[in-house]
Amino acid sequence: MRVLITLWPNPSHLYADIPVAWALQGAGHEVRVASHPDLAEAVTAAGLNAVALGDGGTMPALNLETYAGAALDEDVRGRLKEALGIEAAEGQAAEQAWEVYSTYHLIATNIFHPLGASPADPSPGADALVAFARDWRPDLVLWEPTWPGAAVAARACGAAHARLLWGLDVGAWAEERFADRRAEVAGAGLEDPLVAAVRPVAERYGQQVDDELLFGQWTVDTTPAPMRLPTRTPAVGVRRVPYTGVGTIPSWLHPQPTRPRVALSLGVSVREHRNDTTLIADMLEAVGGLDIEVVATLNEEQLAGVPVPDNVRTIGFLPLNQLLPTCSAVIHHGGGGTMAAAVAHKVPQLIVEGGGGLEAWAYADYVVGAGAGVVLNHEKQSVSELRADLARVLEDPAFAAGTERLHADWLAAPSPNDIVPILEKLTAQHRR
């Protein structure tokens, strides 16, 4: 069968989906990955065929100005939160899920489903996607939740379609709250912002916005089962096999280190969109002078003006799947890709609070709850306290035991290869 995958143009989102794409391709299916032209190089580097939707003249630029223009009005965001009954009493999970949904999730959606558009207005991303889908005729469309225009494209060509998650399902979690509190939202003179964003695209192609358009016919969920937000959507769970990029293995990596090696990584997204030199300086100061070897995957921009201790080796890029098997611990920003790589290689984790990972709070709860790591806060802890936490993780065998528990959970989930027959069966049931 033919499978079209469409996603938000960020390498970290792509990396989460690559093992599923490989499994489908390895089973003999044709796979295409459609996104903004800026992602095409990363797609082809992973051995997949890229479909560049539009070009620099038609697709929105991916920069802070574009993101700001797609953000939900702060007053509206606050009123929606009140209408949906999201209160501190519900706990951190609800507050954080709403924060991720109402900012990053909706910004990503609004960029490719322009605010205030009418059905007559061109929608560059959706129009290009529908045109390609009608021409190529995929059997299955797997789409990231921030791009529901892909569901419109699937309907336009008769394909089965499902959401493919790279992180927590904040989309379904929020939309189910909107469905349960329609009266409260309408009474406040508000509407569901996701429905408002996708409606013009749907109507442009003669479709109605319904649950299937918003949630897909099913969902492929890469999130570990204990971490998932409560939703009613049918899901096919899959193990998140870490893909962390490729590169030539450096010669210094081969010999086993003579002292504990610690990785320090702040992830791809943080590097591209947030350069926190204070955080980097604090982390490097904390590891400096210790009897450990630190490998920090930081580039020149991140290190500008920051003293680098003698026991720290910096390298602009090194795939974590190469680095982590040689490490005794990893300090990171709380990103899902880094967390998955650490779990796969059974490495204890020190997750930096405020490090830039969108869902760091959830990953931190999961890791700490299993006894496989700790949370660091460079704004509240002294350098000596940060060092003490690192020493504890390196020396206490309980953390290694915690990583074994997480690794067992990880292995218990179906592999990407395992779910291919399920996707084949569901596609046959749903395509028209």
Side-chain angles (χ1 to χ4, degrees):
M1 64 184 183
R2 290 181 168 181
V3 182
L4 178 62
I5 299 174
T6 183
L7 45 80
W8 171 252
N10 184 298
S12 62
H13 295 210
L14 168 67
Y15 290 177
D17 299 339
I18 283 173
V20 172
W22 278 348
L24 287 162
Q25 194 164 264
H29 301 300
E30 294 182 70
V31 177
R32 302 286 185 272
V33 179
S35 189
H36 192 286
D38 286 2
L39 194 66
E41 184 177 351
V43 172
T44 56
L48 299 167
N49 290 301
V51 178
L53 300 174
D55 54 40
T58 59
M59 294 292 278
L62 301 176
N63 54 39
L64 294 178
E65 183 178 354
T66 303
Y67 303 156
L72 198 64
D73 179 80
E74 280 299 313
D75 176 65
V76 171
R77 196 158 75 96
R79 290 166 57 206
L80 281 171
K81 181 179 178 181
E82 183 178 354
L84 293 175
I86 299 169
E87 302 173 349
E90 284 193 85
Q92 184 187 33
E95 289 275 347
Q96 294 286 358
W98 171 251
E99 180 69 18
V100 173
Y101 174 80
S102 62
T103 52
Y104 304 102
H105 189 96
L106 288 178
I107 285 173
T109 299
N110 291 337
I111 287 174
F112 296 105
H113 307 79
L115 291 168
S118 75
D121 294 326
S123 181
D127 290 345
L129 190 59
V130 169
F132 177 78
R134 284 175 167 170
D135 180 60
W136 192 55
R137 310 293 297 180
D139 300 288
L140 170 63
V141 177
L142 295 173
W143 51 279
E144 185 174 322
T146 55
W147 208 331
V152 174
R155 283 182 171 178
C157 70
H161 65 97
R163 295 181 310 147
L164 178 56
L165 305 184
W166 62 270
L168 294 176
D169 196 358
V170 295
W173 174 86
E175 289 308 309
E176 288 176 7
R177 294 190 80 112
F178 276 106
D180 293 342
R181 297 181 67 91
R182 284 194 182 97
E184 290 83 352
V185 172
L190 301 167
E191 65 176 334
D192 182 338
L194 180 61
V195 173
V198 75
R199 183 187 293 118
V201 174
E203 293 181 355
R204 182 173 173 81
Y205 292 97
Q207 302 175 18
Q208 296 296 316
V209 178
D210 54 23
D211 284 352
E212 184 186 285
L213 198 71
L214 297 176
F215 302 131
Q217 292 165 325
W218 73 92
T219 297
V220 179
D221 196 343
T222 61
T223 307
M227 277 183 56
R228 293 176 193 164
L229 295 171
T231 70
R232 300 186 289 269
T233 54
V236 175
V238 62
R239 185 186 313 155
R240 182 165 180 172
V241 176
Y243 173 86
T244 58
V246 294
T248 302
I249 299 175
S251 59
W252 56 262
L253 191 64
H254 292 293
Q256 286 296 316
T258 57
R259 52 184 177 166
R261 177 177 286 165
V262 175
L264 172 58
S265 173
L266 296 180
V268 175
S269 297
V270 174
R271 174 179 294 185
E272 292 185 353
H273 302 298
R274 176 183 171 184
N275 186 12
D276 191 337
T277 54
T278 301
L279 165 62
I280 293 169
D282 288 347
M283 290 298 103
L284 291 180
E285 183 183 0
V287 300
L290 299 177
D291 189 24
I292 59 175
E293 174 193 345
V294 178
V295 179
T297 57
L298 304 170
N299 62 15
E300 292 182 1
E301 183 181 357
Q302 291 174 299
L303 293 168
V306 178
V308 178
D310 292 338
N311 65 330
V312 176
R313 181 194 299 271
T314 62
I315 182 168
F317 172 74
L318 182 63
L320 289 177
N321 280 338
Q322 292 183 16
L323 174 60
L324 289 185
T326 72
C327 291
S328 301
V330 56
I331 303 170
H332 68 96
H333 64 304
T338 309
M339 189 276 291
V343 170
H345 297 292
K346 296 190 281 191
V347 180
Q349 304 175 52
L350 296 97
I351 298 176
V352 180
E353 187 175 345
L358 294 186
E359 300 170 340
W361 54 276
Y363 296 125
D365 285 350
Y366 179 56
V367 170
V368 174
V374 300
V375 174
L376 303 179
N377 189 317
H378 73 111
E379 295 179 339
K380 296 180 180 179
Q381 291 179 281
S382 65
V383 169
S384 60
E385 289 172 329
L386 294 172
R387 287 176 173 171
D389 277 341
L390 176 56
R392 184 160 58 94
V393 169
L394 290 172
E395 296 168 4
D396 189 341
F399 290 101
T403 67
E404 293 286 351
R405 286 189 285 272
L406 287 187
H407 192 260
D409 283 349
W410 181 74
L411 287 177
S415 75
N417 289 339
D418 292 334
I419 70 165
V420 169
I422 300 173
L423 299 184
E424 292 169 343
K425 181 178 179 180
L426 289 170
T427 299
Q429 291 173 356
H430 289 285
R431 69 184 170 199
R432 296 191 302 278

